[in-house]
Amino acid sequence: MRRIVSIVEGGLDKTAMIVVAVMLIGMMCVLAYTLAIYALPFMLGLAAMRFAYGTGAGWLGAGIVGLVAGAASFGILTFLFATLRPPILRIALALIFAAPAAVAGYALVHGVTGEAVPLPVWRRLFCLASGALVGAAAVMRLATSAGSQG
């Protein structure tokens, strides 16, 4: 009880902040794992949407273009991953798919741990570990979706 009172009155100490940061990182990694496979199609859809809006398509037209481009890129990439047989091409496609997911995982944890992790070295280690895990999760989910398709 004294611990709770000290946290409420005086704020979090460094140990409590690290525990909170680790819990937040865990929750964000679960979210990132759930959404990792969609990072590349989302970025491609967003780029297509920005291009369409810049050329005068309006909000509705740009939104439709972005949705179609994102869905098409996801379908094409999953189909290619399922049908390509040379291992080097599959690895290259998996890396292309996982790179935006890894960057998103890194940025997600970097934003969450901004004030919670006191040492920059630990913050960087948390960010690198989550980026690697999210990138690996994207490759595993791509392989799973490609395996169920073909």
Side-chain angles (χ1 to χ4, degrees):
M1 185 65 172
R2 184 177 291 167
R3 176 86 172 146
I4 294 172
V5 171
S6 70
I7 289 174
V8 171
E9 290 177 353
L12 295 174
D13 63 350
K14 288 187 180 191
T15 306
M17 287 179 68
I18 290 174
V19 169
V20 169
V22 169
M23 289 177 12
L24 284 173
I25 289 168
M27 290 188 298
M28 289 297 157
C29 283
V30 168
L31 177 66
Y33 172 77
T34 304
L35 302 175
I37 195 167
Y38 305 111
L40 180 63
F42 176 76
M43 289 192 180
L44 291 175
L46 188 63
M49 184 182 81
R50 289 181 67 198
F51 178 75
Y53 184 74
T55 57
W59 284 106
L60 183 62
I64 292 170
V65 167
L67 286 173
V68 169
S73 65
F74 178 74
I76 290 168
L77 289 169
T78 305
F79 175 75
L80 284 175
F81 194 79
T83 57
L84 289 176
R85 293 296 163 223
I88 192 73
L89 292 178
R90 289 176 64 97
I91 290 171
L93 188 62
L95 288 176
I96 289 170
F97 216 98
V103 170
Y106 181 95
L108 184 68
V109 173
H110 191 269
V112 169
T113 60
E115 296 296 323
V117 178
L119 296 174
V121 173
W122 283 106
R123 184 178 184 193
R124 178 70 48 98
L125 288 174
F126 284 145
C127 293
L128 289 173
S130 68
L133 289 173
V134 170
V139 171
M140 288 188 302
R141 293 202 57 190
L142 176 64
T144 302
S145 66
S148 66
Q149 191 180 46

